[in-house]
Amino acid sequence: MPKVSTDDPSAAFFNVYQALRKDILAGSLEGGQALRQDDIARLHGVSKVPVREALRRLEMESLVEFRPRRGAIVRSVSDDDLLEMLDIRIALECRALELAIPNMAESDFELAQEVLDEYQASPDKELWSELNRRFHACILEPCGNRQLLSLINDFEQRVGPLVRLRVTEATGLERPMREHTQILQSCRDGAVNDAVSALRIHIETTKREVAASIRRRNISR
């Protein structure tokens, strides 16, 4: 991590936060690795206060967790947990989409299309991951079931951006974009069964690609 020393407390927090976040997402800091506040403060030439603030912010983003007697560590999700989480997505999102389609307005379709257009134009994998999340949120929000949406949001928080980035790296851009476009068109047509079926296949295919990526990674170790 590069030194980002500064006398401005707010800038110190932001710089430490950005440096840690970048290293976690890049894999330079691996899951389970301890994040010792004294070492981080010394490396960046700052006090422990902005370091604590940065770690708490990263905890809110599900990139860091605090454990008794261990302090802050880089959050990790096991391969089995990741695949099980994708199964949970199928159950939650398919039901939400089934409820959402009858409530969708033209503005919902337009917003989802804007997200897909930005998705298509971006070369940034981290942004693909975030735009993928936003697209799914756009088509599920009209479901009107607050408890179901809360479960989906809680799931997204538990998954976190690091795991979503792993999924994006396994799936690439073209196949998800093609399937997103098909799902959105079925939503526009009011074809509930077609849209739900397309969403189910979309997530199931993602799960298979992630599982294949895990196998290849384990073989290469």
Side-chain angles (χ1 to χ4, degrees):
M1 291 181 289
K3 189 171 181 179
V4 288
S5 177
T6 178
D7 295 328
D8 181 346
S10 61
F13 150 73
F14 184 74
N15 288 335
V16 172
Y17 159 75
Q18 287 283 76
L20 288 172
R21 188 176 193 277
K22 179 180 178 182
D23 284 346
I24 292 171
L25 291 177
S28 302
L29 294 171
E30 298 181 347
Q33 185 170 338
L35 298 169
R36 296 181 176 84
Q37 295 184 27
D38 288 336
D39 292 344
I40 296 170
R42 190 179 307 111
L43 177 63
H44 293 294
V46 298
S47 73
K48 290 171 64 175
V49 173
V51 174
R52 281 197 299 269
E53 292 176 353
L55 292 173
R56 289 298 181 188
R57 172 77 169 269
L58 292 165
E59 181 188 30
M60 292 174 61
E61 295 181 6
S62 299
L63 290 173
V64 164
E65 60 182 302
F66 285 83
R67 291 188 176 177
R69 296 181 297 278
R70 289 195 63 187
I73 64 170
V74 179
R75 183 173 177 269
S76 62
V77 175
S78 72
D79 293 338
D80 288 343
D81 285 345
L82 174 53
L83 296 175
E84 289 175 3
M85 286 175 178
L86 289 168
D87 280 333
I88 295 170
R89 277 190 62 190
I90 294 171
L92 295 179
E93 294 196 20
C94 285
R95 178 54 178 160
L97 185 61
E98 183 179 22
L99 295 174
I101 291 174
N103 299 327
M104 287 182 177
E106 184 60 31
S107 57
D108 295 312
F109 303 134
E110 291 173 355
L111 180 59
Q113 187 61 58
E114 287 175 7
V115 172
L116 290 185
D117 290 345
E118 186 176 356
Y119 196 167
Q120 180 78 60
S122 173
D124 185 342
K125 288 182 181 179
E126 187 178 340
L127 185 56
W128 292 354
S129 179
E130 171 60 16
L131 291 169
N132 178 75
R133 184 198 65 78
R134 283 169 51 190
F135 172 76
H136 283 257
C138 284
I139 62 173
L140 301 179
E141 183 67 29
C143 84
N145 186 318
R146 289 178 296 175
Q147 293 191 50
L148 179 54
L149 289 174
S150 178
L151 285 172
I152 293 170
N153 289 334
D154 288 346
F155 167 78
E156 286 291 343
Q157 286 296 317
R158 285 177 26 231
V159 170
L162 178 58
V163 177
R164 288 198 297 271
L165 183 58
R166 284 176 59 191
V167 172
T168 297
E169 289 173 341
T171 60
L173 175 67
E174 291 186 9
R175 193 273 301 172
M177 270 297 304
R178 184 171 62 251
E179 293 175 358
H180 287 155
T181 300
Q182 179 186 357
I183 293 166
L184 181 56
Q185 186 58 55
S186 294
C187 290
R188 283 184 177 275
D189 294 340
V192 176
N193 291 339
D194 289 348
V196 171
S197 177
L199 178 60
R200 178 180 296 276
I201 292 170
H202 169 65
I203 301 174
E204 287 174 344
T205 304
T206 294
K207 180 183 175 182
R208 286 196 298 273
E209 290 179 342
V210 170
S213 175
I214 290 169
R215 288 195 302 272
R216 290 192 295 271
R217 188 189 70 218
N218 290 339
I219 289 172
S220 66
R221 284 178 175 174

